[in-house]
Amino acid sequence: MRNLLRTSLTTAVVAGLMVFAAAAVKADPVQFSTTASFNGGAFSSPNAIVFGGGGNQLSLTFTGVTNSMVDTGPGGFTFASFGQIQTATTGTGATITAGTTSSLRVTQTIPSGGTDNFSGTISGTISQNNSTGQITFTVTHIDINGVQYDIANNPLALVPPSTNNGITTIQGSITTTAVPEPASMLLLGTGLAGVAAAVRRKLTARNQN
């Protein structure tokens, strides 16, 4: 009797795991927008900061994403753009003022509302054809109501105006927790119930013999 129960329990567990593994999982879609702030100023998109003077200037303009909808799929993970930085110069360009800071705010609307910020410092010199400019993020991971956002390219090298129209994309990743669909849970429950019924039949037949 003990061996029968042990075998039946093992069968039930294996059957349950097989049903659960075969069932599809579904991660909720994520919708978000991004804005930026320079040197502690207001968050907006677009937002610009200018360096230099006397005809030799450098401007950095951030343009965020608006109501971007991404699907993390069964794996609960996807890459996404968090916005762009565009460089523009006049004359010989300019050096970014030491100590310049930048914050990137993510505003999430789906699956539930909330905000959090990446932050970093900007440094380097940018001319029309050359750039040592970069953003070094000191906060590269944020969590908004269980949705994980991570900066992928850190430090972020800023291209000069002669490259890709001066546009550098801020790449990141979004991770969610995959949740079994209701139908998957129903399959799991039905499978385990079937195994339990089979165990009862075996026990009844054994007792009758």
Side-chain angles (χ1 to χ4, degrees), residues 10-105:
T10 301
T11 302
V13 172
V14 172
L17 290 175
M18 289 179 65
V19 171
F20 190 73
V25 292
K26 179 178 181 296
D28 288 334
V30 176
Q31 186 177 49
F32 68 98
S33 302
T34 57
T35 53
S37 165
F38 295 109
N39 289 331
F43 284 89
S44 65
S45 173
N47 198 355
I49 186 170
V50 178
F51 306 94
N56 299 315
Q57 292 187 337
L58 160 68
S59 66
L60 305 178
T61 302
F62 171 83
T63 304
V65 297
T66 302
N67 296 326
S68 176
M69 180 72 77
V70 298
D71 184 1
T72 57
F77 176 89
T78 189
F79 286 105
S81 168
F82 293 158
Q84 298 178 332
I85 295 283
Q86 183 170 24
T87 61
T89 59
T90 59
T92 58
T95 298
I96 296 167
T97 304
T100 298
T101 62
S102 175
S103 295
L104 171 63
R105 172 166 292 175

